[in-house]
Amino acid sequence: MADTREERFMRMTLELAIENVKSGKGGPFAAIVVRGDEVIASGTNQVTTTNDPTAHAEVSAIRAACARLDSFQLSGCEVYTSCEPCPMCLGALYWARPDHIYFCATRDDAAASGFDDSFIYDEVVREFGKRNIATNRILPGEASRPFDAWEIKEDKIRY
Amino acid sequence: MADTREERFMRMTLELAIENVKSGKGGPFAAIVVRGDEVIASGTNQVTTTNDPTAHAEVSAIRAACARLDSFQLSGCEVYTSCEPCPMCLGALYWARPDHIYFCATRDDAAASGFDDSFIYDEVVREFGKRNIATNRILPGEASRPFDAWEIKEDKIRY
């Protein structure tokens, strides 16, 4: 049976992930942003070669696609990623708001290969006082000051 | 009573967030990365002015601090953020692994001001089939291929 359109795009994504490992650019992850039949942008994991812990495949693909489309939103787009997004990348996807997400490997596959995805999913739902990175809330009485400035800003651009 | 060291750094962060709104650069959020008594880097929300949905305060501060320290890890550092990190930024913090996180406003404060933080926290814990952005797993039989390439890569740099 011939590949579906979505399977073709995912195969392309998997090849990018494999090539990323072989070339030594970073971890075994890739993502592409597609609109209709066009690949708008791609991204691969380049954490260690760029010294940027946020340079995951999805974040990189989102940033590149938004730069190309001159927009901070990916409405009308699909994102293909070789692995279920980690919480950082899932959050980035929610802020970018594409129409559809397709993934291949799972967070457990990533964990089995030594990546923290599954651990971070567990941490995100914990109360902040019980997390693995020590976290404290301070100066709560002043928390509203930036939001107050935002409320009265007349020409603000919401996102 | 005099401010503690941590309160001083948080006040600095709040001022950056307020200035970010007033100058029209983006949303009411700022973050700084501190090591000892030194501010290594700062970041503010610049989503709409840079067309980058990942340009939240914490992600920007992490990227700038890692660039300055020439490292993809922030061990030995503290991160101060004007608002509880959204899931994207919390994920980024876990990947960067600072020693301590201090925040001021909460996700509910952010939601009350029109930001999706709380909504995204709810989405992250949902099964992917029940999320607000349509999500599908495809080609599961090929999921391991990038990880297989990673396993046999001899000179890989783990992160």
Side-chain angles (χ1 to χ4, degrees):
Chain A
M1 203 171 66
D3 280 358
T4 64
R5 170 185 172 280
E6 290 78 17
E7 286 169 344
R8 280 201 310 278
F9 283 125
M10 185 57 83
R11 260 180 230 287
M12 188 186 304
T13 309
L14 293 171
E15 293 308 325
L16 284 173
I18 293 164
E19 180 52 34
N20 195 57
V21 173
K22 288 186 177 165
S23 67
K25 286 191 185 154
F29 304 98
I32 63 174
V33 177
V34 171
R35 192 172 58 181
D37 287 328
E38 189 189 4
V39 177
I40 302 292
S42 66
T44 61
N45 180 291
Q46 307 209 357
V47 168
T48 53
T49 44
T50 64
N51 279 330
D52 178 359
T54 74
H56 281 205
E58 298 94 322
V59 164
S60 302
I62 289 168
R63 299 181 82 224
C66 285
R68 181 156 167 220
L69 297 175
D70 230 2
S71 166
F72 56 84
Q73 298 285 265
L74 292 179
S75 32
C77 296
E78 304 165 327
V79 176
Y80 292 80
T81 172
S82 61
C83 184
E84 183 181 3
C86 79
M88 173 179 74
C89 291
L90 186 62
L93 286 161
Y94 270 88
W95 290 112
R97 305 183 182 94
D99 290 358
H100 212 122
I101 300 167
Y102 296 96
F103 70 95
C104 187
T106 67
R107 67 182 81 173
D108 295 326
D109 295 329
S113 198
F115 298 95
D116 276 348
D117 301 47
S118 188
F119 163 70
I120 298 176
Y121 267 103
D122 293 341
E123 288 282 302
V124 164
V125 298
R126 288 210 173 107
E127 289 171 54
F128 69 83
K130 297 179 176 169
R131 290 196 185 133
N132 221 273
I133 297 180
T135 304
N136 288 93
R137 185 177 185 208
I138 58 177
L139 287 185
E142 304 197 23
S144 68
R145 290 176 56 221
F147 295 112
D148 293 344
W150 181 252
E151 289 306 322
I152 62 171
K153 174 87 172 163
E154 290 190 355
D155 57 345
K156 60 178 168 269
I157 304 171
R158 299 181 187 277
Y159 57 92
Chain B
M1 202 171 67
D3 280 357
T4 64
R5 172 184 171 280
E6 291 78 15
E7 286 169 342
R8 281 201 309 277
F9 283 126
M10 184 58 81
R11 259 181 231 288
M12 188 186 303
T13 310
L14 293 172
E15 294 306 326
L16 284 174
I18 293 165
E19 180 52 34
N20 196 57
V21 173
K22 287 186 177 167
S23 67
K25 285 189 184 155
F29 304 98
I32 64 174
V33 177
V34 171
R35 191 171 60 182
D37 287 326
E38 189 189 4
V39 177
I40 302 292
S42 66
T44 60
N45 181 290
Q46 306 207 357
V47 168
T48 53
T49 44
T50 63
N51 279 329
D52 179 357
T54 74
H56 283 204
E58 297 94 323
V59 164
S60 302
I62 289 167
R63 300 180 80 224
C66 286
R68 186 163 161 212
L69 298 175
D70 230 2
S71 167
F72 56 86
Q73 298 286 266
L74 292 179
S75 32
C77 296
E78 305 165 326
V79 176
Y80 292 79
T81 172
S82 61
C83 184
E84 183 181 3
C86 79
M88 172 179 75
C89 291
L90 185 62
L93 287 160
Y94 270 88
W95 291 112
R97 305 183 182 95
D99 290 357
H100 211 123
I101 300 167
Y102 296 96
F103 70 95
C104 187
T106 68
R107 67 183 81 173
D108 295 326
D109 295 329
S113 198
F115 298 95
D116 275 349
D117 301 47
S118 187
F119 163 70
I120 298 176
Y121 267 102
D122 293 340
E123 287 283 302
V124 164
V125 298
R126 290 212 170 104
E127 289 171 53
F128 70 80
K130 296 179 179 171
R131 289 193 186 135
N132 220 272
I133 297 180
T135 304
N136 289 91
R137 186 178 185 207
I138 57 177
L139 287 184
E142 305 197 24
S144 68
R145 291 176 56 220
F147 295 113
D148 294 343
W150 181 252
E151 290 305 323
I152 62 171
K153 174 86 173 164
E154 292 188 355
D155 56 346
K156 59 178 169 269
I157 304 170
R158 298 180 189 279
Y159 59 89

